[in-house]
Amino acid sequence: EPEVTQTPSHQVTQMGQEVILRCVPISNHLYFYWYRQILGQKVEFLVSFYNNEISEKSEIFDDQFSVERPDGSNFTLKIRSTKLEDSAMYFCASSPRTGPGYEQYFGPGTRLTVT
Amino acid sequence: AQSVAQPEDQVNVAEGNPLTVKCTYSVSGNPYLFWYVQYPNRGLQFLLKYITGDNLVKGSYGFEAEFNKSQTSFHLKKPSALVSDSALYFCAVRDDNFNKFYFGSGTKLNVKP
């Protein structure tokens, strides 16, 4: 069964550094998402992406964040200058279509630790 | 605004006993409700969903959920728990634009032999 994959599984970085989290969505999916989960808190929506542009973003997704689908298979989340509070588990998800009945398929997550 | 609440951080149950993981919701329109499970070092895996129709929804691994409109609940159930069911369970609601999910805080299910 096709799966969403994410790399790396764990990333440690120093405050102020740039990080890029990578995701490979399921190949025939058209909608892509990033969520994050700070330890002990809810899974929160960050951004959705369709047709090579952001379709929606949350208030968390400020100018320090960006997303890209550089080559038709990868979907990346970049944090330009990391802060301590960016430490979280970041989940990528994809969906073939959007609509009430379509579930999103999630990757295993990247644990980002900012020191 | 859409939201879901999972009132229990943890549920403990003995193997073979029935289990219930609770979820209540608050929505401004029609509720589109989902359950996901997360095993260690794995992504969120879809279990089941309620869109419309029968209030009892059956999903993967023998799980089912009962949609109750009057109590605004969508509790996850299984008649006979397995040790392998031990995991983190998330309830979620779809937003009005069918775009993002709003997740609950998660409930850790511990099934003891």
Side-chain angles (χ1 to χ4, degrees):
Chain A
E1 187 176 336
E3 289 184 334
V4 176
T5 59
Q6 291 185 243
T7 54
S9 57
H10 190 191
Q11 173 90 47
V12 181
T13 189
Q14 289 189 327
M15 196 167 51
Q17 295 296 304
E18 174 184 286
V19 294
I20 298 176
L21 310 183
R22 291 184 167 79
C23 168
V24 179
I26 294 173
S27 64
N28 62 345
H29 285 189
L30 302 176
Y31 295 82
F32 313 110
Y33 310 85
W34 283 100
Y35 291 80
R36 80 171 186 191
Q37 184 182 29
I38 294 171
L39 189 63
Q41 298 186 23
K42 293 184 179 186
V43 176
E44 303 172 288
F45 169 79
L46 290 178
V47 66
S48 58
F49 192 84
Y50 169 70
N51 200 25
N52 282 321
E53 60 182 29
I54 290 173
S55 47
E56 187 174 356
K57 60 183 180 180
S58 72
E59 62 274 10
I60 303 168
F61 195 88
D62 61 22
D63 292 344
Q64 294 300 311
F65 291 87
S66 62
V67 289
E68 195 177 35
R69 189 157 159 80
D71 56 13
S73 61
N74 291 285
F75 180 50
T76 62
L77 174 69
K78 182 194 291 187
I79 309 175
R80 262 180 273 281
S81 178
T82 51
K83 307 183 187 77
L84 293 176
E85 54 265 35
D86 293 328
S87 294
M89 181 74 89
Y90 287 81
F91 294 105
C92 173
S94 68
S95 181
R97 292 179 179 81
T98 189
Y102 290 97
E103 62 266 28
Q104 294 176 5
Y105 295 76
F106 285 79
T110 293
R111 180 166 297 285
L112 176 65
T113 302
V114 182
T115 61
Chain B
Q2 322 289 68
S3 67
V4 291
Q6 294 180 246
E8 302 154 318
D9 291 336
Q10 186 166 297
V11 169
N12 299 311
V13 64
E15 188 174 31
N17 283 358
L19 69 87
T20 298
V21 182
K22 294 179 180 177
C23 173
T24 58
Y25 67 88
S26 174
V27 300
S28 53
N30 292 319
Y32 303 114
L33 299 159
F34 296 72
W35 276 100
Y36 280 83
V37 60
Q38 185 181 28
Y39 298 102
N41 302 315
R42 300 291 299 275
L44 297 160
Q45 295 180 34
F46 168 75
L47 275 180
L48 50 78
K49 63 189 174 188
Y50 173 82
I51 307 301
T52 187
D54 289 343
N55 289 340
L56 187 63
V57 178
K58 294 189 184 297
S60 306
Y61 313 122
F63 283 93
E64 56 190 28
E66 187 170 9
F67 171 70
N68 188 316
K69 188 173 183 178
S70 62
Q71 296 186 3
T72 61
S73 67
F74 188 56
H75 300 332
L76 181 70
K77 300 182 179 186
K78 188 173 182 181
S80 178
L82 300 172
V83 172
S84 57
D85 293 330
S86 298
L88 193 55
Y89 290 81
F90 291 95
C91 182
V93 64
R94 206 77 189 253
D95 78 328
D96 292 339
N97 296 322
F98 315 133
N99 196 14
K100 59 186 176 287
F101 283 106
Y102 294 95
F103 284 91
S105 52
T107 298
K108 186 177 181 184
L109 174 65
N110 295 313
V111 181
K112 298 183 179 176

